Amino acid sequence: MTSSRTRITKAVIPAAGLGTRFLPATKATPKEMLPVVDKPAIQYVVEEAVSAGLADVLMVTGRNKRPLEDHFDRNYELEEALRRKGDEARLAAVEESTGLADIHYVRQGDPRGLGHAVLCASDHVGDQPFAVLLGDDLIDPRDPLLARMTAIQGECGGSVIALMEVDPSQIHLYGCAAVEPTADDDTVRITGLVEKPDVADAPSNYAIIGRYVLDPAIFEVLGKTEPGRGNEIQLTDALQTLVADPSIGGPVHGVVFRGRRYDTGDRGDYLRAIVRLACEREDLGEDFRSWLRTYVAEEMTS
């Protein structure tokens, strides 16, 4: 299969995880629906895809994920109640999620890892390059990472992975890339990938974060990829196959992201993300920052 340079229009958002780190809140509520200030995390991700020109969105869901579909669907009773009250601001907020994108859904019946979730998108995506956005990473819209990644894919073909430099002691928490420089300061050629390596074995401190632009050759590779770490089909393992043999789907590049990223993957980082985003809101920031300063000062003196 040759590398594809078709204009990218499709985004895939894996959303079948159980959210066990947020139990008991996620016992009946999908983790993607947990609010970040006053908007569910999944909506930030869809908005990011749309802002990069990817308005055809496929969510890979699982059991108990119906609230995702309900959130992006019409709610006529609520809309009419707000309309009767003349509450135009809240009505606009409710309607915004309905018209964001052309959203489709497919169910990952057997949760066998991220690679398997991406493979579930093959029929929808077909033979086009596409983006994958993981919901645990929220990228600030002022730092358009995905648009840069699609531009690199358009120039070079193949696949593009988002990377971030982390403290070497933390690299075992991430997929890790071995890289070589290119002419662009924010772009590297990936020469190797390993999933969550031991610190001593990590080839660099370049961590993979949750944004990918993938050549459709990845589907054929994923179909042949054996379960790896955690007995799951790892997307990183399939990408390593593309790295090792560029004739399959073209080269693999990395975009080194140095912008604002909000990690909602664990409880502590989720709370920090809420605080940071609330502080930056025009309607909340001033009062919230004032309260926060007072609270921190009181805690330091207590």
Side-chain angles (χ1 to χ4, degrees), residues 64-82:
N64 301 322
K65 299 287 184 167
R66 182 61 185 269
L68 295 176
E69 299 184 37
D70 290 342
H71 178 72
F72 292 101
D73 199 0
R74 296 289 302 273
N75 186 326
Y76 294 100
E77 295 83 359
L78 176 59
E79 292 172 19
E80 185 56 32
L82 293 171

Side-chain angles (χ1 to χ4, degrees), residues 17 33 96 98 131 143 149 187 206-207 241 262 288:
M33 289 300 297
E96 180 184 13
T98 304
D143 301 308
M149 295 174 68
T187 306
Y206 284 103
T241 299
Y262 310 105
F288 185 68

Side-chain angles (χ1 to χ4, degrees), residues 212-262:
Y212 307 81
V213 175
L214 301 177
D215 187 276
I218 195 70
F219 294 128
E220 183 178 349
V221 175
L222 283 168
K224 300 175 181 177
T225 300
E226 295 294 326
R229 190 181 184 94
N231 200 33
E232 295 182 336
I233 297 175
Q234 296 290 346
L235 180 60
T236 303
D237 293 343
L239 285 166
Q240 171 58 29
T241 299
L242 297 184
V243 169
D245 186 357
S247 69
I248 298 174
V252 180
H253 286 87
V255 169
V256 182
F257 183 63
R258 300 184 175 97
R260 287 156 284 202
R261 167 180 172 263
Y262 310 105

Side-chain angles (χ1 to χ4, degrees), residues 8 47-54 146-147 150:
I8 300 171
E47 288 172 351
E48 180 188 351
V50 171
S51 69
L54 314 181
L146 195 56
T150 58

Side-chain angles (χ1 to χ4, degrees), residues 23-30 64-65 67:
L23 287 171
T26 51
K27 179 181 178 181
T29 301
N64 301 322
K65 299 287 184 167

